Amino acid sequence: MNNTIQTTSSSAVNSVGRLFNELPLSPGLLATLQQLEYLTMTPIQAASLPITLAGHDLIAQAKTGSGKTAAYALSLLTRLNSRCFAVQAMVLCPTRELADQVTQELRRLARSVDNIKIITLCGGSTMRPQMASLEHGAHIVVGTPGRIMDHLARGSLDLTQLNTLVLDEADRMLDMGFYDDMAFVVKRCPPKRQTLLFSATYPAGIAGLARQFLRNPQEVKLLEQHEENKIRQRFYEVSHETRLQAVGQLLRHYRPASTLAFCNTRQQCRDLLEVLQAQSIHALTLNGDLEQRERDQVLIQFANRSCSVLVATDVAARGLDISRLEAVINVEVTPEPEIHIHRIGRTGRADENGWALSLCSPSEMPRVEVIARMMGFEPEWHDLATLPSDSTTPLASPMVTLQILGGRKEKIRPGDVLGALTGEAGFTCEQVGKITVTDQSTYVAVARNIAREAVRRLSAGKVKGKTVKVRAL
Ligand code: ADP
Ligand code: MG
């Protein structure tokens, strides 16, 4: 295709350090970027922003964590007129978590724009409050195709002023069977609009989607190229019977602070969780069987370092902005090399090294050969039998998450909780980790050795002048 720009996401591109102020962005946006310490553009931003700002349709492909949100957010914020109370931009996402992440990033980036209203429209929440928010007027909506469709059907969402439509994680929306819902929504958008399609992979369906919904799109593809010294790949041969036990062995040996263990099926996730729990390794899983609140709790615990192992399938893990993974374990080698490359790309981010450890049964050997050929390396085989492991020090995460019943609805803010812990309760700031406030609950990570005492003192004391219920997760 002649309008495709292909580039590689190696640090060579990064270190060239294209600055945001090369772009026609408002002084307010530039100041915000500086405050957020977004010093230079990521490669996908450098490649796509000139295209989106010029008003063209775009198909952009780059791996998770490459900064795709800002790549479209800066463009749609530039076009936005905050004095006009109408929906001017809409972002479709596959899941509520992703929609929440996008909304957060948009709000951060939109800080300098006065009175801007961004709302999230996803299933799992009741319609009525969403309809009320829409009535008050919103500039940007972020949501899942199903729920947006519901609003369109009820007439509570008016898209006549829409000028930018973003399909984020388009590949995953296709995977999840949202094609028809997307088509329904797109047909309700004004024909004269800019459409931006972002995707982590490029399966066949994407081209079809683009042909239908985009107009003369420019394409930007960042070919993945991990720096070898950053991601250290090792392969271990296992038998089918020893596979799950071997995961525990790797964890005890490498002792990574945070690991994402990929399974090929949900059943394998459940089995692995059981095996790890039997080995006293605290792991959590992310799968479609979980209720929304449980999923949120899993992600919160993983992000705040009170769970060091997350077990997931590719579908469950895709798109999540989980940074600083020290290791990725492939419980089974995936038959698709692209997926393997994508999985291991989650470790070794930024300036840190990461382990990519793969367990491989004899029948999966040909898969490793294909991957190695595609990535151009000689697989490094190691022997599990000779792996020394430190089995004396227990494998426990440094933090424990406490759940306080009461959240945004009770007007609790992170500062209230930090204040309660470091004031009356007498703990130090160092003993308190990340604090996450959701609608109904507040989650605070505390150092493992004070967890019990912290529950006691918080329950005995007050948060924001009120007695609260607290429990350790
Ligand atoms: P993607 O959608 O490609 O998976 P995200 O948009 O979620 O990636 O961005 C990943 C992370 O990188 C986010 O935490 C975001 O705040 C951060 N980020 C994005 N752009 C920049 C930048 N130019 N400089 C520094 N950090 C950035
Ligand atoms: Mg994204």
Side-chain angles (χ1 to χ4, degrees), residues 65 68-69 72 98 101-102 168-169 319:
K68 293 191 287 294
T69 318
Y72 60 77
L98 291 165
Q101 282 179 14
V102 166
D168 197 3
E169 305 268 349

Side-chain angles (χ1 to χ4, degrees), residues 252-450:
R252 277 191 301 277
H253 173 67
Y254 289 93
R255 310 187 79 77
S258 60
T259 303
L260 190 50
F262 282 103
C263 290
N264 284 6
T265 62
R266 275 151 68 165
Q267 185 57 46
Q268 196 174 45
C269 287
R270 286 190 282 267
D271 295 343
L272 177 59
L273 211 62
E274 227 168 78
V275 169
L276 292 178
Q277 269 154 9
Q279 299 181 8
S280 304
I281 296 172
H282 176 51
L284 292 173
T285 185
L286 205 58
N287 65 43
D289 299 340
L290 298 181
E291 281 176 33
Q292 192 62 50
R293 193 170 40 90
E294 297 171 307
R295 288 174 70 85
D296 289 347
Q297 290 185 354
V298 168
L299 289 170
I300 287 169
Q301 291 180 75
F302 193 65
N304 73 16
R305 314 206 311 138
S306 48
C307 159
S308 47
V309 186
L310 190 59
V311 173
T313 58
D314 296 287
V315 172
R318 209 140 96 206
L320 296 172
D321 178 22
I322 303 170
S323 54
R324 294 166 47 116
L325 276 181
E326 219 171 287
V328 162
I329 297 179
N330 293 306
V331 176
E332 188 174 325
V333 179
T334 148
E336 291 174 63
E338 268 216 31
I339 291 184
H340 180 88
I341 296 171
H342 200 64
R343 284 178 175 182
I344 70 169
R346 293 198 162 257
T347 182
R349 296 240 185 111
D351 297 326
E352 284 156 57
N353 286 322
W355 289 108
L357 311 167
S358 304
L359 296 170
C360 175
S361 68
S363 66
E364 291 153 21
M365 297 290 176
R367 300 181 183 174
V368 177
E369 276 165 39
V370 176
I371 290 167
R373 212 177 313 124
M374 255 188 80
M375 295 187 75
F377 69 89
E378 196 59 47
E380 212 184 286
W381 289 94
H382 289 256
D383 193 352
L384 275 173
T386 61
L387 200 67
S389 82
D390 172 4
S391 53
T392 50
T393 328
L395 253 188
S397 57
M399 312 298 277
V400 169
T401 300
L402 309 186
Q403 179 185 15
I404 299 171
L405 297 183
R408 226 174 273 137
K409 290 230 168 79
E410 284 71 29
K411 306 225 166 0
I412 292 183
R413 277 172 310 179
D416 302 325
V417 177
L418 185 65
L421 283 165
T422 56
E424 209 182 328
F427 296 108
T428 64
C429 283
E430 288 70 40
Q431 291 170 315
V432 182
K434 200 168 169 184
I435 300 172
T436 314
V437 184
T438 68
D439 282 346
Q440 319 268 3
S441 289
T442 302
Y443 300 91
V444 53
V446 297
R448 180 167 290 277
N449 60 348
I450 65 153

Side-chain angles (χ1 to χ4, degrees), residues 8-146:
T8 51
S9 60
S10 70
S11 76
V13 178
N14 243 332
S15 62
V16 174
R18 306 265 306 275
L19 301 173
F20 284 104
N21 61 15
E22 290 176 20
L23 300 170
L25 297 175
S26 71
L29 279 180
L30 288 172
T32 302
L33 289 164
Q34 201 142 39
Q35 278 168 15
L36 294 175
E37 295 183 354
Y38 286 15
L39 304 176
T40 54
M41 291 188 257
T42 66
I44 188 72
Q45 291 162 358
S48 55
L49 277 164
I51 298 170
T52 53
L53 286 166
H56 298 292
D57 280 7
L58 172 77
I59 304 173
Q61 184 202 347
K63 68 173 179 173
T64 302
S66 52
K68 293 191 287 294
T69 318
Y72 60 77
L74 292 171
S75 168
L76 64 87
L77 288 172
T78 297
R79 188 146 307 132
L80 199 94
N81 176 359
S82 61
R83 270 164 306 180
C84 162
F85 272 90
V87 176
Q88 296 161 54
M90 179 163 72
V91 183
L92 295 186
C93 298
T95 64
R96 203 194 84 177
E97 279 123 28
L98 291 165
D100 283 340
Q101 282 179 14
V102 166
T103 303
Q104 276 174 24
E105 179 81 347
L106 276 168
R107 291 206 174 116
R108 270 151 37 99
L109 291 167
R111 245 184 235 168
S112 68
V113 190
D114 283 338
N115 299 321
I116 188 167
K117 197 154 152 214
I118 305 172
I119 62 176
T120 317
L121 301 178
C122 297
S125 313
T126 42
M127 287 289 278
R128 200 164 287 280
Q130 295 181 352
M131 291 164 77
S133 306
L134 283 168
E135 257 174 46
H136 282 100
H139 298 103
I140 304 175
V141 300
V142 181
T144 46

